[in-house]
Amino acid sequence: MLQALLPLAARAQVASLPPVPDSLRAALKATPAAGAARAAVLLRIADAYWEPFDSAGVVQYAEEAERVARRARQPVLAGRALDLRGNYYREAGDVSRALALLQQAGSLLRTAPSAVQANYRYHLGMAHGDLNQPAQAFQLYREAYQLAGTDADLWAEILNSRGILFARQNRLDSAAVNLFRAVRLHHRRGNRGSEAAALGNLALIYAQQKRWAEAAAYTRQGKALETALRDTVALATSWLNLGTVLLNRDSARAALPCLRLALHLQQRVHLTGAAPITWNTLAKAYEHLNRPDSARYYFAKVLAQRRRIGRPAELSVALKSLAGFYLRQGQWPQAESYARQVLALPRQALESNQVLDALDVLRQVAAHRRDFAAAYAWQTRAQTLRDSLRALADTRITEEQRARYETDRAEARVRELTQRQQVTELRSQRQLLGAGLAAVLLLALGAVALQEYRRRQLRRELALRTRLSADLHDEVGALLTQISMQTDLLEAGVHAPAQQQAQLREVAATSRRAATQLQDVVWSFDARNDAVGSLLDRLRDHAYEVLQYGDATITFAPDAASETTVLPVETRRALYLIFKEALANIQKHAPPAAHIQVALRTAGQRLTLAIADDGPPSATGSGRASGHGLRNMQARAEAVGGACRTGFGAVPGQPGFGVLVEVPVS
């Protein structure tokens, strides 16, 4: 009995929803009253209501799809329904509700296919962008782009949204690049409506850059597409954009018919939300044409509409526009009145530039009345606000950099701990294996030697890994961190243009140092470089790179018989670092045109490296090298069982300053 009633209850529930589109009636009728198939069809119906943007159709069918999916224990379908509802509320302007729904969807879509996750992250990124959270938005856009696979349509939408987000941050060049790529992708895919929208956004970017010819050209391209598509809503926006561009080019007479046509199209399709923008632009056009009565009429219409809505942020823009208009008309009391109304609004609802503009109007009004004390007070208040905004911006940038740096450090620490854990596990496994072998081969004397050999090999391997990790971290990691922080500061626009050039040169120099350090580390641990001949090649490369722009010359005198001698890794590395230190000291203190002699000799089980110049002895003592340099060279030689001497005459037969290193080779 109960089972028989369930289909009737389901049909009654669907009947209470908006009508099902004709194209989906058969699909809905063919599905059971419950289950994954039912939820999937309900989602298709909700999506069909998206194009006309019918709130009842989208929201109610998405809610029903979520309910059915949860009963069928289908988390992905439930997550898609929440994602659809969240994206609808974002488009409708209710971003807070949208974000809450999208965050719920995230926990249900963890196992969803990549394409579904890509769309979800894109929608969540747009919500964060609308909430003025660009860092989160850009990260989500990157993730969505990577998950999109070969979905070029989604790529284009992501690029368009990235461009809009860059524009909000006043990073207009980056905005233009992303929007241009979006236009090209939409054009290739034949998405004419989306292409027209991206062209309109691109036109607005060029208008902000005062590149009027490009702005007008892209606006006309978009308008031509919308005309062919008979898209009245988009056409209204295009005519408004074209009028705005013409107005900014001081062509108010040409802009006026475009703006009137935009207003007519908006009224035809009941775009009431866009009308105040058109009224405001019309008012500016009439003011440019010296028709103040018409300008005042449209400015007043905007203000009346904003008062009815009651949103302080939008009301402040309308009040500020009227204050500026009356100021330009020389009607000082009215200008002062509207400016004071701006300052009377709740401070948390106002943008800083609105407050600054209102303070500037009040300063000019006070100066006109010759009340210079009041004018100075308004100016001081504005300057205090600017200083506060600058300090907040600096603090925000610093905190973002610190947070990013701390995050990088934490991630590096996690990687280090993971590596240590893996090494410990490896050691434990090998020790257990050795113990097992020792127990099985207890009577075989060779088992003990084999086990000890393996332990030595393990210790050597672990020591090598530790040294390699330390070298990469100490020598390369610090330089890469410095490059990252320098580029982040450049991206944030903290420095003036002249300082940015200096910063760029410093980034380039740091990058070259990091590349050189990385090459040194890789070379020193590569077993193919163990021969003395390989070491000699590396010494030559470094010497010619260091001395290529100076007057000093260098000659290498190797012992041909020793070039095939194999050196331990640590010995080869120590000799290379001693050579670098010695060459740096000789280059720093030698006469400008000095000649440097380098010799490598093998005698028995000892290898000798001699570096010396032909400069005269110094009057200040026997050594040019700094205290740290001398100690470093000696310490490196002693660490591999060798010795190091420095000073004038240290190399036999060479009167100049020299460094003589002797190390064992077996």
Side-chain angles (χ1 to χ4, degrees):
M1 179 80 175
L2 180 60
Q3 291 178 347
L5 290 175
L6 280 176
L8 295 174
R11 282 197 293 272
Q13 188 162 10
V14 173
S16 65
L17 297 171
V20 179
D22 294 340
S23 60
L24 293 170
R25 284 180 183 171
L28 182 66
K29 187 176 181 181
T31 59
R38 183 76 169 188
V41 173
L42 290 169
L43 270 176
R44 290 171 58 192
I45 298 172
D47 197 52
Y49 273 101
W50 182 272
E51 190 62 32
F53 210 62
D54 187 315
S55 62
V58 175
V59 174
Q60 292 184 32
Y61 275 106
E63 287 176 341
E64 180 66 11
E66 181 193 355
R67 184 187 65 79
V68 173
R70 287 186 182 276
R71 284 189 176 181
R73 296 183 179 179
Q74 296 290 328
V76 172
L77 287 172
R80 286 175 56 194
L82 284 165
D83 179 33
L84 184 63
R85 284 171 58 204
N87 195 37
Y88 170 81
Y89 283 119
R90 186 198 62 77
E91 289 278 358
D94 193 348
V95 186
S96 298
R97 180 186 290 186
L99 186 61
L101 290 169
L102 290 169
Q103 288 172 340
Q104 291 179 47
S107 60
L108 298 172
L109 294 175
R110 290 172 183 165
T111 60
S114 297
V116 175
Q117 292 194 43
N119 277 285
Y120 161 70
R121 281 172 170 76
Y122 173 51
H123 299 156
L124 186 60
M126 287 193 290
H128 280 290
D130 291 342
L131 291 170
N132 196 27
Q133 297 170 349
Q136 297 93 318
F138 280 127
Q139 176 61 32
L140 287 162
Y141 288 154
R142 279 193 293 271
E143 294 173 4
Y145 200 94
Q146 292 168 356
L147 290 167
T150 58
D151 189 350
D153 292 337
L154 183 56
W155 289 350
E157 294 297 338
I158 293 170
L159 289 168
N160 184 73
S161 297
R162 278 171 54 89
I164 294 171
L165 189 55
F166 275 124
R168 289 176 184 168
Q169 295 181 296
N170 204 33
R171 297 166 63 180
L172 301 182
D173 290 333
S174 298
V177 169
N178 281 268
L179 289 169
F180 188 73
R181 291 175 62 194
V183 168
R184 287 196 304 179
L185 271 175
H186 281 310
H187 182 76
R188 289 177 193 161
R189 301 288 296 172
N191 301 328
R192 297 294 180 255
S194 299
E195 180 186 356
L199 283 167
N201 292 331
L202 188 58
L204 291 177
I205 298 301
Y206 282 121
Q208 286 181 262
Q209 293 178 314
K210 302 189 184 303
R211 296 168 62 179
W212 308 118
E214 293 97 327
Y218 284 123
T219 301
R220 291 191 177 98
Q221 286 182 38
K223 185 166 63 62
L225 287 172
E226 289 153 358
T227 302
L229 294 170
R230 297 182 180 179
D231 189 341
T232 306
V233 174
L235 267 175
T237 304
S238 287
W239 281 113
L240 173 59
N241 291 344
L242 183 58
T244 304
V245 170
L246 292 171
L247 179 61
N248 288 328
R249 293 184 67 183
D250 294 329
S251 302
R253 195 169 301 281
L256 197 58
C258 298
L259 297 171
R260 286 173 173 165
L261 181 56
L263 185 60
H264 172 70
L265 292 173
Q266 289 168 356
Q267 291 171 344
R268 182 195 296 178
V269 293
H270 307 291
L271 282 176
T272 56
I277 301 173
T278 311
W279 294 339
N280 194 67
T281 313
L282 272 169
K284 293 177 182 178
Y286 280 122
E287 186 179 357
H288 275 275
L289 294 171
N290 199 24
R291 295 169 62 178
D293 290 340
S294 298
R296 185 184 300 109
Y297 169 76
Y298 281 108
F299 277 133
K301 280 179 71 71
V302 175
L303 179 60
Q305 194 268 354
R306 298 308 190 198
R307 287 193 191 279
R308 283 197 301 273
I309 294 177
R311 295 182 187 144
E314 296 176 358
L315 179 59
S316 67
V317 177
L319 290 169
K320 188 210 73 171
S321 297
L322 269 170
F325 168 74
Y326 282 117
L327 183 71
R328 292 186 292 273
Q329 296 297 315
Q331 299 183 31
W332 309 99
Q334 293 91 330
E336 181 180 19
S337 172
Y338 285 113
R340 288 185 179 276
Q341 289 181 54
V342 172
L343 298 182
L345 292 171
R347 180 66 185 87
Q348 64 273 15
L350 299 180
E351 292 186 6
S352 301
N353 64 324
Q354 307 293 345
V355 178
L356 289 171
D357 289 344
L359 290 171
D360 187 59
V361 169
L362 293 171
R363 178 189 62 78
Q364 294 185 58
V365 170
H368 174 75
R369 290 201 306 257
R370 297 186 177 278
D371 187 354
F372 298 112
Y376 179 74
W378 292 121
Q379 183 176 357
T380 301
R381 183 173 170 183
Q383 187 59 47
T384 302
L385 177 58
R386 290 191 188 94
D387 293 341
S388 175
L389 292 173
R390 191 175 298 112
L392 285 173
D394 292 344
T395 302
R396 178 182 58 80
I397 292 171
T398 302
E399 289 300 324
E400 287 178 358
Q401 298 302 324
R402 181 181 293 122
R404 187 174 301 177
Y405 176 67
E406 292 297 332
T407 300
D408 292 342
R409 284 183 56 189
E411 291 176 353
R413 180 62 177 164
V414 169
R415 288 194 296 270
E416 180 184 354
L417 291 172
T418 302
Q419 290 171 355
R420 288 184 179 178
Q421 182 180 2
Q422 291 172 348
V423 169
T424 302
E425 291 175 356
L426 178 62
R427 180 186 292 129
S428 300
Q429 291 170 2
R430 294 200 176 187
Q431 288 174 345
L432 289 172
L433 177 60
L437 287 173
V440 173
L441 305 175
L442 187 60
L443 300 179
L445 296 177
V448 176
L450 178 62
Q451 181 67 16
E452 185 60 28
Y453 171 76
R454 288 184 173 178
R455 287 178 179 173
R456 284 200 305 270
Q457 285 292 98
L458 177 58
R459 286 195 294 270
R460 189 177 295 111
E461 180 183 346
L462 292 178
L464 186 62
R465 289 182 179 178
T466 302
R467 175 60 61 85
L468 178 58
S469 175
D471 286 352
L472 287 173
H473 179 272
D474 295 339
E475 297 182 15
V476 182
L479 292 173
L480 293 179
T481 300
Q482 181 181 347
I483 292 169
S484 174
M485 296 188 71
Q486 287 171 332
T487 53
D488 286 343
L489 289 172
L490 283 169
E491 184 181 10
V494 174
H495 302 288
Q499 293 175 315
Q500 287 182 353
Q501 291 300 320
Q503 281 285 83
L504 285 171
R505 288 193 293 272
E506 186 176 346
V507 169
T510 307
S511 301
R512 287 191 292 271
R513 290 201 304 274
T516 302
Q517 294 283 17
L518 183 59
Q519 290 172 358
D520 287 348
V521 172
V522 172
W523 175 85
S524 66
F525 287 95
D526 192 340
R528 294 171 296 181
N529 301 321
D530 285 346
V532 171
S534 177
L535 171 63
L536 185 61
D537 291 338
R538 190 65 180 176
L539 300 186
R540 283 196 183 100
D541 291 343
H542 178 72
Y544 294 149
E545 180 181 353
V546 170
L547 301 176
Q548 63 180 325
Y549 298 113
D551 296 328
T553 58
I554 189 166
T555 301
F556 286 83
D559 179 7
S562 65
E563 290 194 19
T564 57
T565 302
V566 176
L567 297 174
V569 171
E570 291 300 326
T571 301
R572 175 166 53 83
R573 183 172 180 273
L575 288 172
Y576 176 64
L577 295 176
I578 290 171
F579 175 78
K580 289 179 66 175
E581 184 77 34
L583 189 62
N585 278 281
I586 289 174
Q587 185 192 21
K588 181 177 179 181
H589 299 290
H595 180 74
I596 303 168
Q597 182 81 19
V598 181
L600 270 171
R601 297 283 187 274
T602 302
Q605 302 300 317
R606 308 286 290 182
L607 176 70
T608 302
L609 171 65
I611 312 113
D613 65 33
D614 58 357
S618 170
T620 59
S622 63
R624 289 200 194 105
S626 66
H628 288 296
L630 176 59
R631 285 194 295 271
N632 285 342
M633 288 188 283
Q634 290 175 339
R636 293 186 192 281
E638 291 170 0
V640 293
C644 176
R645 296 202 310 270
T646 63
F648 287 93
V651 177
Q654 296 289 340
F657 179 82
V659 176
L660 183 66
V661 186
E662 290 185 357
V663 295
V665 293
S666 62

